[in-house]
Amino acid sequence: MAARIYQIPKSAMQSGKAKIDTWVLEFEQSEARTADPLMGWTGSGDTQAQVQLKFESKEAAKAYAEKHGIAARVHATPPKSLKLQAYADNFR
C-alpha cells in the first residue's frame, strides 16, 4: 500500500494564503481504471484511491504513515517565483 504526501497548491482563483499549509496523504491506485460498458463512466474496485487524509504539517503526515506501516513518498513543494512586471511594460 503506497501513498504520497504533498502540500495543497493554491488554485488559480485563490489570491490569499488560506489553507495552503495543509499537507495531504493520498493513496496511489492499486488497480487500473476500467470503462463501464453501459454508461461509459470510468471506475475501479480500489476504494483506497478515494481516501485523502489532511494534516497540519509534513512531519505529522510522515508520522502517521510510519505508525500504520504505509510506504509514503514526500513530494516537495516547488519554489514560488514571482514575475514582477509594471503596467508600463505592456506598451514597450
Side-chain angles (χ1 to χ4, degrees), residues 79-87 89-90:
K80 298 174 185 173
S81 61
L82 295 174
K83 181 181 176 185
L84 298 176
Q85 182 177 350
Y87 179 70
D89 293 341
N90 294 334

Side-chain angles (χ1 to χ4, degrees), residues 5 23 25 54-66:
I5 298 172
W23 287 81
L25 184 138
K54 296 182 181 178
F55 297 93
E56 295 291 325
S57 66
K58 176 173 56 171
E59 290 77 22
K62 283 171 143 181
Y64 179 86
E66 289 176 10

